[in-house]
Each structure stands twice: as C-alpha cells, then as structure tokens.
Amino acid sequence: MLHYALVFLVIAIIAAVFGFGGIAGAAAGIAKILFVIFLVLAVVAFFRRATR
C-alpha cells in the first residue's frame, strides 16, 4: 500500500513539473488517501501484534 502511495506521489510531482495541474492534484489526493489507509492498517497491525 505504501508503494502505491509513493508511486502516485511521484506521478503527481512529474505531472506538476510538466504543468498538468489537474492530474497532479488528483494523483496527490490519491497518494494522501493511500497513505492514510496504510497508516491505519499499520497501527491496527501493531496493536494486534502487541496484544498477542
């Protein structure tokens, strides 16, 4: 999941450099969502592991 977030972040940066603002904004938004999902899953996995 983190890998996909980083891929979309790179796509957003490249699109922004070339002047594609709409695509850059969309890719950055997707990257943010994927990163938040990754963080939530990581915290849940950490607490499940700690309680075992």
Side-chain angles (χ1 to χ4, degrees):
M1 185 85 47
L2 184 58
H3 173 74
Y4 292 125
L6 292 175
V7 167
F8 276 105
L9 180 63
V10 169
I11 291 172
I13 291 170
I14 292 171
V17 167
F18 288 120
F20 298 108
I23 296 171
I30 293 170
K32 286 180 189 177
I33 291 168
L34 289 174
F35 186 70
V36 169
I37 292 171
F38 166 76
L39 285 178
V40 169
L41 292 175
V43 168
V44 168
F46 175 75
F47 282 121
R48 288 191 70 195
R49 175 80 177 178
T51 58
R52 283 183 138 192

